[in-house]
Each structure stands twice: as C-alpha cells, then as structure tokens.
Amino acid sequence: MSETLQTLLQGRTAIAGHRPWPRYEIDAATWDALGAALAAGEGTLLGLWGDEGLVHMALSAPTLPTPAIVTLAVPDGTFPSVGKHHPPAIRLERAVCDLYGYAAAGAPDARKWLDHGAWGITAPLGSRAPAPLADPVAYDFSPVHGEGLHQIPVGPVHAGIIEPGHFRFTANGEIIARLEERLGYVHKGIDSLTTGCDIDRAARLVARVSGDSTVAASFAFARALESARGISAPPRAVALRGIMAELERIANHLGDIGAVCNDAAFALILAYCGILREKVLAACDRVFGHRLMMDKIVPGGVAHDPSPAELGVILAMLDDIAPLFADVVEEYDDTPSLQDRTCATGVVTPDLVVKWGAGGHVGRASGRDFDARRNLAYAPYDDLGFLVPVFMAGDVDARVRVRIREVEASMEMIRMLIDSLPDGPVRTQATGASAGEGVAVTEAFRGDLLVWLRLDGSRVARCHIRDASWFQWPLLEASIENNIVADFPLCNKSFNCSYSGHDL
Amino acid sequence: MRTLLLRSLFARPVTIAAPSAENAALTEVGHALEGRIRRLYGRSLTIREVDAGSCNGCELEIHALNNAVYDCERFGLRFAASPRHCDVLMVTGPVTRNMKVALERTYAATPDPKWVVAVGDCACGCGVFEDSYAVIGAVDKVVPVDLHVKGCPPRPIELLRGLVALVDKATAKG
Ligand code: SF4
C-alpha cells in the first residue's frame, strides 16, 4: 500500500460530539485503503457495524494515539469489502448485510450469516421487505474434497447445558480436517431493539446481550453513555464497578477451569471449582442483590452502595476461596494425565491471534499481550498495578493457565479496590437531553467488549455491542484442525465463546 | 500432593438443605398434570436443557444445579444429553425465530409423557426482547408448557423448588 494507516487518517477533522476517541467521515477509497492497511498488519479491527445509510469501522493501531472510528456513507447500498483484504471482517460484513441490506462489494463470502430465512423479512434495519420463509437447514457449507472424508453435523441443540450453534466437522477417521461454524441461532435483534429506544431499556438490553458478561457490558455501556454526555461517574462508583467486574471475571474463570478439566474427564476439579464459583455468586447476591450483578452498573454510577459490612462479605469470601483455589491449581499442576489432554491440544498460532485481534485468554494464551484494562486503560484500572499473564503455547493448557493467573490477579485487585475505596456518592445524574456519541471498550472475562452509541436527546438513537467472541469463534475453527473429534469439547470450552453475545 | 482428593474424602458435605416445594409452583404443576397420562417415574426425572434463545444467564444458573451445593441428583433429577432420554424439557430464552424449528424437533424427539419447564422471564414471557422481528417470544407460543419458573435468571434454589414440585406431583399421582 502506498499510504499507511496513519497517513490515511492524518489531518482529518473529527466529527464533533463523538467521545472519547475521534470519528472521521471518509470516502470509499479511504475505506478500502484502510482495509488493505489492516491486512498489512498495521492495525487491529475493533468492530464493523451498520447504521442508517452508513457503515462504521472501529480500529486501533500503534501509530494512532487512540483507537478511531471511521464512517462511510452508503447511498447506493454498497461499500468496499474490508473482508476481501482482511478476513476478520468477513462475518461482521455478512451481519451488516443481513441486518441493513448493505452489500460489501467484492466480499469473499456472500452467504447469509444471522439471517436464517426465518424472520419473514429481509434487512430488518433497512428495507424490511417481506421474504419467504426458508428451510432452516439449507446452508451452503464450504465444499470439502478428498478421499476418506466424512462429515459430522452437530447442533444447533447440543448435548450439554450450553447455547445453540451448528458445527460441521469434516473428519478423516478421528482426525478433524475442517470445522465450519454456523451461528446466529440465538439472534434476538438486539441492534434493532436498541435503535431509537429509551436509555433505561437500552441499558437492560445491553446487560442481557451475554449473561456471563453482564457486568462488563453494562460497564462499557455506562462509560460510552457518560462519554457521550460528557459526564463521569463518581470515584466511589468507579471503584465499585471495578470490584463487580473482577468478581464477574473470577466467577466465570472458575466455571471455565472446572469445565475444561471436566471435559478432560477430571471431575474433581470441576466439583471444587463449582463450590468456589458458588461462594463467589452467593457473596455477589448478598452484597449486590443479584448473583450475576445484572443491572447493577447503571449510567452515571452503580445501583447499590455496599455498606462496610457488605464489603466485609466480599473480603471474607476471598479469604475463604484463596487457599482452596491454590489447592485446585496444585491439583492441576500435579496431574500429568490431565495435562496430557490439555497440552498441545487446540493450538492457535500467535500470528492468527494478532491478525484477528483476538482478546482475552484466547489472545493471551498465544502471546498477544493485550488487555483493555491496561492497553486502553480506563478507571479504576488506570492507577491500579496488576499482572497481565501472557503465555506462548496457544493450547488448551495455556488458556487454562491464563485464567488461573487472572483469578489470582483479580482477587488481589478487589482487595486493593476495597482497601482504597473512596467515600462519596455512587451515582451522578445521567439523564438529560443532550445529543452526542460515545464509545467504550471494557475487558470482559473473555476479552475486549466494545459498545458504541449515539444519543438523540433522552433516547438511544443507535447502539452497537461487539463481543470479544466475534474475533475468537473463527480461531476455534483454526485451533481444532488436526485434532481428534473427541477433543473438540475440550477446545471449545477452553475458548468459551459466547453464542448470544455474537448472535445479538 | 493430592490434597484435594484427601480433603474430598474426609470433608463434610457442602450441600444445602432440600427446599420445600413452593406453593405457587405446586398449584401450577397440579393443574398442568391433571388429566394427563401418568407414569410412575420412581421419583426420578431426567431433564434435557434446550436454549431456545437465552442470553446464557439462565444456563449459568441451571448449571449450578449440578454443583455440589445444590446437587440436584439427590432429588432424582438428572440432566441427559439427548431429548430421547428425557422426561422433562427445560427451555430457556425468548424463542428466537432461528431456533423455532430446532425446539419443535427437540420436543417431537422427546418420548411421551413429557413435561416442559420454561425457565426465566424470557421463556415465561418475552423478557426485555419484546417486539423484535427475530423473536417469537414465550416458550408456550411454540410448545405446551407445564411449569413456569420466573426470574432473570431464577436463582438455582428457585429452579429446585419448581422441579421438586414437578417430581412430587408426577409421582404422587402416578
Ligand atoms: S431470563 Fe434473564 S437471564 Fe434468562 S435468558 Fe432472559 S435475559 Fe437472560
């Protein structure tokens, strides 16, 4: 490329009222050139979504001072495909096409993604034209040629207590030659529901995009909204948000560590992690009145101000689980038969996580040293010292170990936050009638979660949520190649991508 | 070495006390079962969980039923991997249009007599997802529902109360 990502955006005037990062209106040629620059490894794609008559793309780059949003008008309903240069954009573009009807010109994959032909309309956020119902099973999986190959279709209803999605395995005996995912089964139309909706309803919807990340999503939504309004939450509320976010991380990681070990037929660790997770959730329930802390982070602050006694409940819980967790870790370390299953299984290479900008344990287990709490620092993490564990092996074991270190780090962070908890109010007035646009990224337990919104008076004109899973699901396909079919549950659990967070 | 294993051998149970069947749930199940063909389940029900559109919050709490604290197997409740092995379908989420056929097929694959439990505000009504082009809504718009367990998500103890009532009723009349 002749022009670098940095020069493509240099000297432009950002749209007024978009905070905290700039948003630029660009033309189709620049859009296309940015796609090529991303493909050349100059930056990371953070999101790509539709809007009325527009497409937006969020990206970051070491040469840019902050992430940026670029916007392209699509008067004729098409935009140059970023996916044709940069594959991580492909599914995002398919989703834009399904929801808005805007076509990505030159896109390598024009199949529908979220639209399974069951809505009775096409382009629900665009033309809303009536459409005949299609056979839900009809989908052109990529053709596979070769001797001795057979296919194993799995889902959408799976064997465990998990979310629905379809996995099409092509195997040669026990060895998986290819996995192709088909998602979108739990698409609930969240982009449409949060378009032109009052702020309270939008907040409740965002909290229910992916139940396991409810705190992280509400955190991002609140920050985006506060940025758009040009206000900030009081210091005490900010610290309490951090406490909740870390409790959520600990609870999820405990669940995952147990579940991964269980999928390797080591039920003892699952049993212990189950008890530990339960202790965390019971404490959350006692302190915040909800086990998952849903709706407890609100625009302007938090919904509950814990008393000193309630904070003591959290500290006592941490004291209780810390030694037990150390035993669990020791058990994991001392069980070679377990590591025999987790080590060298489901490997994701470092170049792939960089290219896809995969966050969370998926990225950090393959050497990508990125954590939104540090790299896109936000309060209360900006003046909190904490460890970001990074491993290089990229296998199931490394993804477990990232979680183990993060549980330990989060316990430490909660103690620090409670120790230095400021006094004062926990909520500022976040209502009003101002317009504005805001964006925020928080580090959910599974990786960076982006919320972008545009306010129109007291309403949310448009809100988009991009879960970390968007950039992790494709890597699961890559990780499983040449593994045995029986190791798929193990790999899948070690990723633990969200179906609902992805399907929206 | 092996501290966990040793501790497990000598530890006292962490299981909570069994909940009493909640009255409202009992009444609802009573109505649901009236006039149906009943079979003696020997105080045991096998459950198949189906996420028909949930945000996964409900799944987290249903999962908790299997942990050592709630330990639902002591009530004769166990989760199966296939609808063909189950008596109860536990369905979450507002049913999405993309999941409707899968839910219908799972229901059809479940042998009679069968019960359907709708778990969560979304499955009982439509939750926050009302008015979406992509969502059909409550589970009973797609398959008949015998028991509703409300909550967003319901706590595991609330799930247990509902299920205990279901077992009691199914066996008492069987
Ligand atoms: S009831 Fe609540 S927790 Fe359950 S699926 Fe609906 S939004 Fe999620």
Side-chain angles (χ1 to χ4, degrees):
Chain A
M1 267 330 287
S2 48
E3 280 195 280
T4 65
L5 197 149
Q6 188 193 15
T7 52
L8 283 165
L9 297 181
Q10 217 161 38
R12 290 175 187 271
T13 315
I15 300 289
H18 187 283
R19 287 180 287 258
W21 304 327
R23 178 166 80 80
Y24 305 109
E25 282 173 354
I26 59 170
D27 58 17
T30 310
W31 178 276
D32 189 55
L34 283 171
L38 287 173
E42 287 187 44
T44 305
L45 181 66
L46 294 180
L48 194 160
W49 63 99
D51 199 346
E52 209 183 324
L54 309 166
V55 282
H56 304 287
M57 172 159 65
L59 41 84
S60 66
T63 49
L64 298 177
T66 67
I69 318 287
V70 292
T71 302
L72 173 66
V74 285
D76 64 349
T78 67
F79 62 97
S81 169
V82 174
K84 80 170 181 252
H85 305 288
H86 191 54
I90 294 174
R91 287 182 180 175
L92 296 157
E93 290 179 345
R94 289 168 74 187
V96 169
C97 184
D98 287 357
L99 298 182
Y100 282 88
Y102 307 147
D109 190 343
R111 291 175 297 172
K112 301 222 177 268
W113 182 239
L114 301 177
D115 183 353
H116 292 194
W119 301 336
I121 52 171
T122 57
L125 283 145
S127 68
R128 297 187 67 90
L133 297 183
D135 176 2
V137 177
Y139 183 74
D140 292 326
F141 284 97
S142 309
V144 190
H145 305 288
E147 214 177 312
L149 295 177
H150 62 283
Q151 293 208 328
I152 311 170
V154 177
V157 179
H158 295 159
I161 305 173
I162 53 170
E163 302 179 77
H166 183 93
F167 299 121
R168 181 66 57 99
F169 297 97
T170 303
N172 189 337
E174 271 298 296
I175 308 290
I176 298 171
R178 177 196 277 165
L179 160 65
E180 185 173 357
E181 297 153 357
R182 187 189 183 198
L183 302 174
Y185 289 91
V186 288
H187 174 73
K188 292 180 274 292
I190 290 170
D191 275 288
S192 147
L193 288 170
T194 52
T195 294
C197 127
D198 66 67
I199 287 171
D200 284 348
R201 171 133 197 250
R204 290 176 61 77
L205 279 158
V206 171
R208 286 158 183 79
V209 165
S210 183
D212 51 17
S213 305
T214 178
V215 171
S218 295
F219 198 168
F221 178 79
R223 285 175 52 223
L225 191 133
E226 288 152 12
S227 289
R229 287 250 191 274
I231 58 170
S232 48
R236 186 174 172 86
V238 167
L240 288 168
R241 287 173 173 183
I243 293 169
M244 284 190 243
E246 297 316 307
L247 286 168
E248 179 176 77
R249 192 179 324 277
I250 293 173
N252 281 307
H253 281 350
L254 286 171
D256 285 353
I257 295 166
V260 169
C261 294
N262 191 50
D263 279 342
F266 201 76
L268 182 68
I269 290 186
L270 171 70
Y272 267 89
C273 285
I275 296 168
L276 298 183
R277 178 180 156 90
E278 189 57 36
K279 286 176 189 281
V280 178
L281 297 190
C284 294
D285 199 12
R286 274 185 68 189
V287 175
F288 296 102
H290 192 287
R291 286 163 54 91
L292 307 179
M293 299 168 284
M294 227 171 221
D295 304 321
K296 299 305 169 193
I297 292 184
V298 292
V302 295
H304 175 69
D305 186 4
S307 65
E310 287 173 329
L311 294 169
V313 168
I314 298 176
L315 290 171
M317 179 273 292
L318 293 178
D319 290 343
D320 182 17
I321 68 167
L324 289 168
F325 184 67
D327 286 350
V328 168
V329 176
E330 192 189 320
E331 190 70 24
Y332 182 83
D333 277 334
D334 285 351
T335 312
S337 63
L338 174 55
Q339 284 166 38
D340 183 49
R341 293 289 306 281
T342 57
C343 289
T345 303
V347 174
V348 185
T349 54
D351 57 316
L352 274 185
V353 295
V354 168
K355 184 165 188 161
W356 256 261
H361 39 260
V362 175
R364 292 193 284 277
S366 295
R368 183 167 181 255
D369 191 5
F370 173 89
D371 185 316
R373 292 172 295 174
R374 183 196 61 200
N375 297 62
L376 303 172
Y378 52 96
Y381 301 105
D382 43 0
D383 42 42
L384 206 63
F386 59 97
L387 173 95
V388 177
V390 177
F391 291 82
M392 292 309 296
D395 54 6
V396 172
D397 176 67
R399 291 188 282 278
V400 169
R401 288 183 189 278
V402 169
R403 289 175 167 102
I404 288 174
R405 295 282 96 85
E406 287 182 9
V407 168
E408 294 162 353
S410 294
M411 291 201 279
E412 209 38 56
M413 269 188 249
I414 295 172
R415 288 202 176 94
M416 290 193 283
L417 286 166
I418 292 182
D419 246 16
S420 59
L421 191 66
D423 288 328
V426 295
R427 201 162 176 182
T428 43
Q429 187 64 261
T431 51
S434 58
E437 301 175 333
V439 59
V441 173
T442 52
E443 185 74 17
F445 83 99
R446 64 163 63 82
D448 51 303
L449 185 153
L450 177 141
V451 171
W452 177 88
L453 54 78
R454 183 174 67 242
L455 296 177
D456 173 14
S458 60
R459 294 173 81 75
V460 174
R462 176 84 178 90
C463 171
H464 177 72
I465 303 109
R466 195 272 302 145
D467 188 86
S469 306
W470 276 99
F471 300 124
Q472 296 172 339
W473 275 119
L475 300 188
L476 177 64
E477 293 185 344
S479 78
I480 197 65
E481 232 174 81
N482 292 323
N483 283 253
I484 57 170
V485 177
D487 275 343
F488 177 69
L490 193 60
C491 295
N492 192 19
K493 203 68 221 180
S494 76
F495 273 67
N496 191 18
C497 301
S498 175
Y499 299 71
S500 184
H502 165 281
D503 293 354
L504 289 173
Chain B
M1 283 285 275
R2 297 285 171 236
T3 35
L4 266 196
L5 205 55
L6 277 175
R7 184 172 307 165
S8 321
L9 288 174
F10 299 111
R12 296 215 325 271
V14 291
T15 340
I16 56 156
S20 62
E22 199 179 62
N23 283 346
L26 256 179
T27 322
E28 190 182 2
V29 180
H31 283 305
L33 297 184
E34 255 173 37
R36 281 185 182 238
I37 308 161
R38 290 182 192 89
R39 195 179 89 204
L40 197 62
Y41 279 93
R43 270 195 75 84
S44 138
L45 278 190
T46 302
I47 305 167
R48 166 71 248 191
E49 200 267 349
V50 183
D51 174 343
S54 144
C55 79
N56 79 30
C58 281
E59 274 61 34
L60 294 176
E61 296 297 55
I62 293 172
H63 249 295
L65 292 180
N66 282 316
N67 71 29
V69 178
Y70 297 103
D71 188 19
C72 66
E73 291 215 14
R74 72 194 149 127
F75 305 115
L77 303 166
R78 56 178 290 272
F79 286 85
S82 164
R84 300 208 187 271
H85 301 156
C86 79
D87 312 303
V88 173
L89 283 181
M90 189 179 259
V91 188
T92 63
V95 182
T96 63
R97 293 197 184 276
N98 288 353
M99 271 304 284
K100 175 173 180 279
V101 172
L103 176 59
E104 287 168 344
R105 288 184 186 172
T106 307
Y107 182 79
T110 309
D112 279 322
K114 56 193 163 196
W115 285 270
V116 175
V117 180
V119 169
D121 287 350
C122 293
C124 295
C126 193
V128 293
F129 302 105
E130 201 115 39
D131 302 326
S132 167
Y133 63 88
V135 161
I136 294 170
V139 173
D140 62 14
K141 289 191 175 167
V142 180
V143 294
V145 172
D146 302 289
L147 178 75
H148 291 94
V149 183
K150 296 209 173 80
C152 182
R155 292 181 172 87
I157 191 74
E158 288 151 6
L159 290 168
L160 268 190
R161 280 198 194 108
L163 289 168
V164 171
L166 195 70
V167 180
D168 284 352
K169 271 304 202 183
T171 48
K173 298 243 178 137

